[in-house]
Amino acid sequence: MNALSPLGMVSELPSSNQMQSDAERTDTNTGTEVQKDYFVEKDGVKFAGMHLLVDLWGADNLRDPDLIDHALREAAEAAGATILHGHFHHFSPNGGVSGVLVLAESHISIHTWPERDFASIDIFMCGCCDPYDSLPALKAAFQPKTVNLNEQRRGLIA
Amino acid sequence: MNALSPLGMVSELPSSNQMQSDAERTDTNTGTEVQKDYFVEKDGVKFAGMHLLVDLWGADNLRDPDLIDHALREAAEAAGATILHGHFHHFSPNGGVSGVLVLAESHISIHTWPERDFASIDIFMCGCCDPYDSLPALKAAFQPKTVNLNEQRRGLIA
């Protein structure tokens, strides 16, 4: 953490050294822009991306913004995602944390209620990243007794 | 927008002038910290917060990070939420935008696919804020032909 905001402790990490290329949008032969389709196709259906809503109960380490920041970065990287930006807010010295990573493939967010050992996470990934690959890092960091998982396909084309 | 990142245009707005008080966590009579219950109760059930997944089809203004930033702020404020942080990433001069507002009450995120006139938004609000109050500002900004709405109660206690 590198700053104190008037609203609480804030961990603000700039874009990492992972790079995302926009070159794929340009046809190298003609130099013209290619209208790439960023939707994915799976099981015969087309959609924008997979959105996992993950509720953790009986979880640990919910008051530590540094640990939470690190856990979400590990989770993103485990899925092969590209981290563009991170922001983590600590509501009070012993309170909950709200944080988000903006990804080239969408986002991961977390909100913690340490007084209930509860955290709600959402992992939204489009492209070739699979948000399920993020789960082991989150389970390792927070050691939940129960995980409630809800999968949503965003932008589903019937 | 006030910066160009190597990955695209970035709109980075610091915490607004809205203030959130942690004072409610302290008993003013005794000066001791009160273990407040941040879960909400509605329709006889208790849960952490309401999470709306909002898919917009046939939408406009999906390539403009300034407009999108402004729209999400209006949406947050319409629900009475407190904005702690905002970050909006423009993938290329004519590409999609990924952005998020971190709120004292959780978050609003958006990801746009302008090549399909599609945007996927999620609005997660705990406490006394109602994420449905954010919808008119979003519809006004993006003028979608179709809105697909999915309501999830996060941290539901059966």
Side-chain angles (χ1 to χ4, degrees):
Chain A
M1 298 199 303
N2 53 11
L4 275 171
S5 86
L7 302 168
M9 301 291 285
V10 166
S11 163
E12 182 69 26
L13 292 166
S15 304
S16 77
N17 59 358
Q18 297 183 56
M19 290 297 292
Q20 177 222 9
S21 170
D22 276 345
E24 61 187 4
R25 296 198 183 200
T26 305
D27 185 313
T28 49
N29 292 323
T30 65
T32 56
E33 191 164 313
V34 177
Q35 192 69 16
K36 190 171 187 292
D37 186 355
Y38 292 97
F39 272 44
V40 293
E41 194 159 351
K42 194 178 169 187
D43 306 331
V45 291
K46 211 160 191 176
F47 53 101
M50 188 90 84
H51 199 165
L52 290 188
L53 309 184
V54 188
D55 282 354
L56 307 182
W57 292 98
D60 295 331
N61 300 319
L62 303 183
R63 301 178 196 269
D64 183 341
D66 283 340
L67 183 148
I68 292 171
D69 181 333
H70 183 72
L72 262 63
R73 285 176 185 270
E74 282 211 347
E77 287 162 7
T82 299
I83 300 166
L84 300 176
H85 177 79
H87 182 88
F88 293 82
H89 183 90
H90 199 186
F91 283 93
S92 72
N94 284 306
V97 172
S98 274
V100 68
L101 295 181
V102 178
L103 309 174
E105 298 81 7
S106 294
H107 74 264
I108 304 181
S109 78
I110 187 167
H111 307 283
T112 76
W113 283 255
E115 69 277 9
R116 284 188 178 267
D117 303 322
F118 173 73
S120 97
I121 297 170
D122 75 305
I123 313 168
F124 184 10
M125 288 183 182
C126 57
C128 57
C129 293
D130 184 345
Y132 284 96
D133 291 339
S134 293
L135 295 179
L138 299 172
K139 289 179 184 172
F142 303 116
Q143 300 286 321
K145 290 185 177 60
T146 309
V147 178
N148 291 337
L149 201 63
N150 180 326
E151 175 190 311
Q152 300 289 331
R153 293 185 179 187
R154 305 297 301 271
L156 186 64
I157 298 173
Chain B
M1 298 199 303
N2 53 10
L4 274 172
S5 86
L7 302 168
M9 302 291 284
V10 166
S11 163
E12 182 70 25
L13 292 166
S15 303
S16 77
N17 59 359
Q18 297 183 55
M19 290 297 293
Q20 177 222 7
S21 170
D22 276 345
E24 61 186 6
R25 296 197 184 199
T26 304
D27 185 313
T28 49
N29 292 322
T30 65
T32 56
E33 190 163 315
V34 177
Q35 191 70 16
K36 189 169 189 288
D37 186 355
Y38 292 97
F39 272 44
V40 294
E41 194 159 351
K42 194 179 170 186
D43 307 331
V45 292
K46 211 162 191 174
F47 53 101
M50 188 89 85
H51 200 164
L52 290 188
L53 308 184
V54 188
D55 282 354
L56 307 182
W57 291 98
D60 295 331
N61 300 320
L62 303 183
R63 302 176 196 270
D64 183 341
D66 282 341
L67 184 148
I68 292 170
D69 181 333
H70 183 72
L72 263 62
R73 286 177 184 270
E74 282 211 346
E77 287 163 6
T82 299
I83 300 166
L84 300 177
H85 178 78
H87 182 87
F88 293 82
H89 182 91
H90 199 187
F91 283 93
S92 71
N94 283 305
V97 172
S98 276
V100 68
L101 295 181
V102 178
L103 309 174
E105 298 81 8
S106 293
H107 74 263
I108 303 181
S109 78
I110 187 167
H111 307 284
T112 76
W113 283 256
E115 70 277 8
R116 284 188 178 266
D117 302 322
F118 172 74
S120 99
I121 297 170
D122 75 305
I123 313 168
F124 184 10
M125 289 182 182
C126 57
C128 57
C129 293
D130 185 344
Y132 284 96
D133 291 339
S134 293
L135 296 179
L138 299 171
K139 289 180 183 172
F142 303 117
Q143 300 285 320
K145 289 185 178 60
T146 309
V147 178
N148 291 337
L149 201 63
N150 180 326
E151 176 191 310
Q152 300 288 332
R153 294 184 179 187
R154 305 297 301 271
L156 186 64
I157 298 173

